[in-house]
Amino acid sequence: MKAQPGTHLSLPAARYYRANDPQWHWLEERDDPEVSAFLAAANQQQADWFAPLAPLEEALYQSHLARRELAVTSLKTALDHFTFWSETGAEDDYPCWWRHPNSQPEQSECFFDVRARAATHDFYDMGDMALSPNEQWLAWSEDTQGDERFTLWLKALPNGTPIQLLSDIGAGLCWAEDQTDTTATLLFTRFDDTQRPDSIWRLSLLLAEPSTSPAPELVLREEDPEFWLGIGKTRSRAWLLLESGSKDTSEIHLLPAHSPASTPLCIQPRQAGIEYSIDHRPGNFYRLHNQTGAHFQLDYLPEIQLDQPQSVQLKSVQSKPNWQTLIAHREDATLEGVDAFSWGLMLAERDHAQAQVRLRRLVLDTQHAFTLDEYLALPEQPCSQMLEDAPHFDSQVLHLREETFTQPPSWFSLDLTNGERTLLKRVPVHGSLQPEQLISRRLWATSQDGEQVPVSVVMRADLANQPLPTLLYGYGAYGEALDPWFSIARLELLERGAAFAVAHVRGGGERGEPWYLNGKMEHKENSFNDFLAAREALVIQGVSDPQRMVAYGASAGGLLVGTCINRAPEAFCAALLDVPFLDVLRTMQNPELPLTTAEYSEWGNPEETDIAERIRGYSPIDNIKPQAYPALWIEGSWFDTRVSYWEPAKFYAQVAQQHQGIAPILMRTDMSSGHGGASGRFKAWRDTARQDGFILWALGLATHCQN
């Protein structure tokens, strides 16, 4: 081994360097003892460097706890027979689930103690909980390692002994509606070798002795490696939805929920680039699709068109079903979702100009004429307003959840019969900095091609007229929208004088489907240009101090930030890369890795030479060069199946070798978690406090400074 340029001999990147493997590919050998040794050495380097900031971390953590209500009770949800809710004790990481018979609250009982399930595990994640139709059985999936492979459990409520039924399954569960006193059907997914949910299975349960139930039966298998399977059910409870989808193409099979052993019925065969979703009201199906335009339109189909003689086993609906347009494609808004009720539909529409989602209520007569068409009021813009779970198909009272960058989540009931809104719950905020002392703004940055990019920023109102140290957050992939969200942990940064900004770059979904399409595949460069343009706009418009800006990106956001610091390291004083996707080209060239084949429609298939070169042009690990990098804090997870631990490790090692400056290059690998980080809320909050300590140090706002 020999030291590389910019690498101190005592640092891990020098001590573990192998001259015959300058790309550090040997770190992919999980069973090599030197891999664990290297990660341990990097963790120790990080711990040693961070030691002077440990008092700040502790102060942040304790202040964070003091700001929030630690004992939490969820809203109660009344189902057909029981009312359900969860309670988390002030010192607990996990909740207990409770129920009482409807209209008999005095008969409350705890039927599921998640604390007890997690107590003997270093890592615990609940994948899904599913109540049987008669609400007397609970099925759940749990992951006790962090690799997102789940075990299926079942118990009779309230106090039955948990029974392990299956291992190595997907997270999602769905009961059919065929339950009797002695039998029931549960559907779940399984993985292929690349951890792609490639099959849906039907488990016929014998409720008297569930452990003796017959082996699961295959319902549907997806052979295309770019497609994943999922399970759902219409709110009408009439149909099970077997959903197959890639990043840009959908196909849905239907099963009658009361006869799940039927042959699946494909409602619309897949067409490349066509996405759709299905919901149902008795008599009609509703299809939200992009077949006529990128912004989606809503059609309906009379259910009678699916009726066929029982002796005929169909694989798809009639060749030319008579779908009729209900809401046509529009240029100024994207239809993002539809929820069906007995009285009509609730739509989620995203206004392109304002990058704002609105909820739209449609009341329909028997001929599908609108008897009411209205948008629900927003408390302010930008705002996140969403429809909470409404289990009853006939419900005339909806639950809404609203939050902004300055206001914590609030839950309201909306009585559709009279329009009355009632506040059900608001997350309390304790401490000296209160929501009314904050202000948020929406700025617009001009990107390299002239596109206007929205930038959200929140800060203390009393500091709003001066350039502030700023944390700039970015994602911009998979069409995910970073709609406004409130964060109690963020108050620690804001109170100390920082601003928090979000760059809504192309590749996300903030301005509808075109915003996503113009930041993926051959248009991915737009994402990077948008992020750097957001940084410049914050400086030019007097919001941010150009010498004190930190970039933050997690997962695919790590790709965004990693590329930008390669290209413009002087733009930021530091960057935090959390479980970052950094080795894009090599990962996409390995179809044996989890997620790779499903990602071809997001990044491209590098088997094509021009696509490989395009990816190579921005892949962070392929563009490291000798230069002065900003201070870097890189987080990885040993059991991460989405972004393998070696991606941040290889990036860390190579940047440390090429680094020409004095800023610290640090990495921490969590050896007991997966992509989502630490399990348990207190561990997660501790991790946040540690990251925030680094951010405050980098912004010059730390009360305890590194020597």
Side-chain angles (χ1 to χ4, degrees):
M1 297 188 298
K2 63 178 182 179
Q4 296 301 293
T7 303
H8 191 279
L9 287 171
S10 65
L11 297 181
R15 289 157 49 200
Y16 288 88
Y17 175 70
R18 297 181 181 180
N20 63 347
D21 187 5
Q23 305 304 313
W24 294 77
H25 294 324
W26 66 270
L27 286 174
E28 299 176 12
E29 300 298 326
R30 182 186 291 269
D31 295 330
D32 184 341
E34 282 215 330
V35 171
S36 297
F38 172 77
L39 298 180
N43 282 356
Q44 188 61 53
Q45 178 206 3
Q46 178 272 326
D48 292 343
W49 182 91
F50 194 77
L53 292 175
L56 174 60
E57 175 197 339
E58 184 63 23
L60 290 167
Y61 177 69
Q62 294 299 332
S63 181
H64 178 118
L65 298 184
R67 291 184 191 276
R68 65 168 61 244
E69 187 176 55
L70 296 177
V72 178
T73 299
S74 72
L75 292 178
K76 294 186 175 183
T77 299
L79 301 184
D80 292 340
H81 309 291
F82 290 85
T83 297
F84 295 85
W85 73 99
S86 68
E87 295 181 3
T88 305
E91 298 181 357
D92 296 331
D93 274 316
Y94 301 93
C96 289
W97 283 89
W98 292 73
R99 71 175 190 175
H100 66 67
N102 291 340
S103 303
Q104 294 179 285
E106 72 280 0
Q107 296 186 24
S108 298
E109 57 190 0
C110 176
F111 66 88
F112 189 48
D113 189 344
V114 186
R115 299 171 307 176
R117 299 295 305 174
T120 59
H121 302 286
D122 292 335
F123 181 93
Y124 185 88
D125 181 41
M126 177 72 66
D128 197 7
M129 290 174 56
L131 286 161
S132 65
N134 71 356
E135 302 168 27
Q136 294 294 345
W137 290 84
L138 178 71
W140 72 94
S141 58
E142 61 186 29
D143 170 16
T144 57
Q145 183 160 282
D147 60 359
E148 299 184 60
R149 292 185 178 272
F150 293 84
T151 301
L152 173 62
W153 293 81
L154 181 75
K155 67 175 286 187
L157 300 184
N159 298 314
T161 301
I163 302 167
Q164 181 176 331
L165 297 179
L166 298 165
S167 60
D168 202 12
I169 69 167
L173 306 171
C174 187
W175 291 88
E177 294 289 326
D178 64 339
Q179 184 173 8
T180 69
D181 291 340
T182 58
T183 63
T185 301
L186 186 66
L187 283 82
F188 63 92
T189 60
R190 275 180 166 156
F191 301 115
D192 66 7
D193 291 339
T194 65
Q195 207 166 346
R196 174 181 66 98
D198 74 326
S199 56
I200 294 175
W201 296 76
R202 179 178 62 247
L203 181 60
S204 300
L205 293 167
L206 303 177
L207 298 178
E209 293 186 66
S211 60
T212 65
S213 299
E217 296 180 86
L218 179 67
V219 177
L220 185 67
R221 185 179 298 279
E222 176 56 67
E223 301 292 349
D224 191 324
E226 293 191 35
F227 283 73
W228 289 23
L229 288 175
I231 322 164
K233 183 163 43 177
T234 61
R235 183 178 284 104
S236 65
R237 301 189 187 179
W239 296 92
L240 299 169
L241 304 174
L242 314 182
E243 301 169 306
S244 182
S246 69
K247 297 293 184 182
D248 63 1
T249 302
S250 304
E251 182 176 80
I252 297 176
H253 290 74
L254 303 175
L255 274 179
H258 290 85
S259 53
S262 303
T263 301
L265 178 71
C266 180
I267 196 165
Q268 178 179 325
R270 70 187 62 175
Q271 295 175 257
I274 303 302
E275 298 177 87
Y276 69 92
S277 60
I278 296 292
D279 212 334
H280 171 262
R281 295 168 69 223
N284 291 280
F285 288 98
Y286 298 86
R287 178 186 63 166
L288 196 64
H289 68 92
N290 64 347
Q291 196 160 354
T292 55
H295 309 151
F296 290 78
Q297 77 173 39
L298 182 64
D299 298 340
Y300 69 94
L301 175 74
E303 189 172 352
I304 194 172
Q305 291 200 23
L306 270 67
D307 291 343
Q308 296 291 332
Q310 294 296 315
S311 60
V312 179
Q313 289 192 341
L314 293 178
K315 292 187 177 179
S316 65
V317 180
Q318 295 175 4
S319 58
K320 292 184 179 180
N322 187 27
W323 289 98
Q324 301 177 54
T325 300
L326 189 63
I327 298 180
H329 178 269
R330 292 153 53 199
E331 290 297 330
D332 61 344
T334 293
L335 297 178
E336 291 192 339
V338 58
D339 285 278
F341 293 85
S342 60
W343 44 261
L345 305 172
M346 289 293 296
L347 297 175
E349 292 189 1
R350 183 172 295 274
D351 179 271
H352 295 170
Q354 298 300 318
Q356 175 65 57
V357 172
R358 301 289 304 273
L359 294 181
R360 180 179 177 184
R361 179 188 174 204
L362 300 178
V363 179
L364 308 171
D365 65 17
T366 56
Q367 304 302 312
H368 275 88
F370 297 175
T371 61
L372 179 68
D373 183 358
E374 65 176 5
Y375 289 93
L376 303 191
L378 289 170
E380 64 178 272
Q381 291 192 57
C383 171
S384 291
Q385 183 186 66
M386 63 191 71
L387 182 66
E388 288 282 86
D389 185 37
H392 294 294
F393 186 61
D394 297 322
S395 178
Q396 291 284 338
V397 178
L398 303 180
H399 285 178
L400 304 177
R401 184 182 191 274
E402 297 174 351
E403 68 180 308
T404 71
F405 284 114
T406 63
Q407 294 297 320
S410 299
W411 288 264
F412 296 87
S413 66
L414 175 63
D415 189 330
L416 300 181
T417 63
N418 57 23
E420 182 178 345
R421 275 171 56 105
T422 303
L423 177 64
L424 301 174
K425 180 181 179 181
R426 175 174 288 130
V427 172
V429 179
H430 304 293
S432 57
L433 186 62
Q434 289 295 301
E436 57 268 21
Q437 296 172 277
L438 304 177
I439 187 173
S440 67
R441 296 176 178 172
R442 171 64 60 80
L443 312 178
W444 294 88
T446 302
S447 196
Q448 191 175 81
D449 61 353
E451 181 63 79
Q452 295 298 293
V453 179
V455 184
S456 299
V457 61
V458 60
M459 67 200 81
R460 280 170 39 187
D462 62 326
L463 300 177
N465 295 317
Q466 57 187 291
L468 298 177
T470 301
L471 175 63
L472 179 60
Y473 186 101
Y475 188 70
Y478 307 114
E480 295 293 329
L482 295 178
D483 287 325
W485 77 99
F486 186 84
S487 167
I488 288 180
R490 187 190 304 145
L491 296 176
E492 298 302 320
L493 303 180
L494 301 183
E495 185 162 55
R496 287 165 171 80
F500 176 80
V502 180
H504 302 285
V505 306
R506 280 172 284 185
E510 287 86 347
R511 300 189 71 188
E513 189 70 6
W515 200 248
Y516 168 47
L517 298 177
N518 284 316
K520 64 180 290 192
M521 300 289 282
E522 67 272 19
H523 305 297
K524 189 59 193 172
E525 288 290 333
N526 288 332
S527 299
F528 314 128
N529 293 334
D530 291 355
F531 190 75
L532 293 173
R535 187 264 183 203
E536 292 306 304
L538 288 166
V539 171
I540 292 170
Q541 297 186 42
V543 173
S544 300
D545 179 344
Q547 302 303 314
R548 296 196 290 171
M549 295 190 71
V550 173
Y552 183 105
S555 195
L559 160 61
L560 174 71
V561 173
T563 299
C564 289
I565 62 173
N566 274 335
R567 296 181 177 184
E570 73 287 348
F572 301 98
C573 63
L576 200 154
L577 307 175
D578 199 350
V579 289
F581 182 32
L582 299 167
D583 200 1
V584 186
L585 180 58
R586 184 171 172 85
T587 294
M588 296 307 298
Q589 288 174 329
N590 187 352
E592 301 302 316
L593 288 174
L595 307 185
T596 292
T597 54
E599 302 281 273
Y600 286 156
S601 56
E602 183 74 23
W603 318 105
N605 186 342
E607 288 185 3
E608 299 180 34
T609 303
D610 58 333
I611 293 178
E613 289 308 306
R614 184 178 75 222
I615 295 174
R616 191 191 308 277
Y618 63 75
S619 175
I621 210 165
D622 293 298
N623 289 277
I624 298 167
K625 56 188 176 183
Q627 60 182 350
Y629 278 86
L632 296 184
W633 180 283
I634 306 166
E635 295 264 6
S637 291
W638 181 247
F639 292 108
D640 194 338
T641 58
R642 295 174 182 261
V643 178
S644 300
Y645 71 87
W646 59 74
E647 293 205 29
K650 290 161 64 175
F651 185 81
Y652 156 76
Q654 292 184 56
V655 170
Q657 290 177 296
Q658 298 290 341
H659 184 33
Q660 299 295 303
I662 60 172
I665 309 297
L666 305 168
M667 182 182 72
R668 177 179 177 271
T669 303
D670 189 327
M671 302 302 291
S672 63
S673 70
H675 194 65
S679 65
R681 57 179 185 161
F682 289 99
K683 291 180 181 178
W685 293 339
R686 175 67 72 179
D687 285 352
T688 297
R690 189 182 301 112
Q691 290 185 354
D692 284 351
F694 172 79
I695 292 167
L696 288 169
W697 167 83
L699 292 175
L701 298 174
T703 56
H704 300 80
C705 295
Q706 170 77 17
N707 293 328

